[in-house]
Amino acid sequence: MATNIATDNWKYSEWLKLGYQYHAPEDYISMEVYPEDIEMFSTILFLNTIEHKGRIIKVNSGSTEEETKKNFDKQTIEFGIDAAEGLMNLAVLPFIFFHTSDKTSHTTFMNIIRLIRNNWEYCLEKKYPDRSFEFVICDDEYEPSITFYVKRETS
């Protein structure tokens, strides 16, 4: 469940202290958030994936499909195919926001992880309607993260 942004987001709270006549989160967005920042973050939200060796693998920005396949194959040799799938699809929030997250609360990171999960789930269901996916959220205080893998049938 998402938390109350008005009380949990330090940037919004600091902005409110400036005394503007506007107070709604939409006003903060209008005055402080650039559309280009949202556009850049969409590279995280909208998955680019490939199917390789029966697994669905996230292709990171700046990587090619061939590079992703080679990296997956190396990870498979080192860790096994199940672990490789989870590692290749991993997003660790403090790494994504490495230079800007020094004041970011764990609550904010977890809200972002839920946003990512919702978007990834939608993207995966649209692209692979015949597959089911499992999402794993790590609620670690220092390195909250999310990954996904194709749900496998258990016997």
Side-chain angles (χ1 to χ4, degrees), residues 13-124:
S13 296
E14 290 296 314
W15 179 79
L16 287 174
K17 291 177 187 175
L18 296 174
Y20 292 111
Q21 68 181 20
Y22 308 104
H23 299 97
E26 293 82 5
D27 299 322
Y28 171 82
I29 292 167
S30 173
M31 296 173 78
E32 301 292 331
V33 178
Y34 290 86
E36 292 80 6
D37 293 334
I38 304 302
E39 180 181 43
M40 291 304 297
F41 191 64
S42 72
T43 63
I44 305 295
L45 296 176
F46 301 126
L47 280 175
N48 178 17
T49 58
I50 58 171
E51 187 170 355
H52 181 57
K53 297 188 175 178
R55 306 301 174 110
I56 305 303
I57 308 300
K58 176 170 62 100
V59 179
N60 290 319
S61 298
S63 293
T64 66
E65 289 185 11
E66 285 309 310
E67 291 169 334
T68 300
K69 288 177 184 179
K70 285 179 186 177
N71 193 14
F72 179 77
D73 292 343
K74 284 171 57 178
Q75 298 282 339
T76 298
I77 291 167
E78 190 166 345
F79 302 108
I81 195 163
D82 292 341
E85 182 179 22
L87 288 169
M88 294 291 295
N89 295 332
L90 183 66
V92 181
L93 271 285
F95 297 167
I96 293 170
F97 297 102
F98 187 73
H99 296 285
T100 58
S101 64
D102 57 319
K103 293 183 179 179
T104 302
S105 72
H106 181 70
T107 301
T108 294
F109 276 139
M110 293 311 296
N111 285 336
I112 294 169
I113 283 176
R114 284 187 282 279
L115 173 66
I116 291 170
R117 182 193 188 278
N118 289 341
N119 279 270
W120 284 6
E121 185 173 35
Y122 176 79
C123 291
L124 291 166

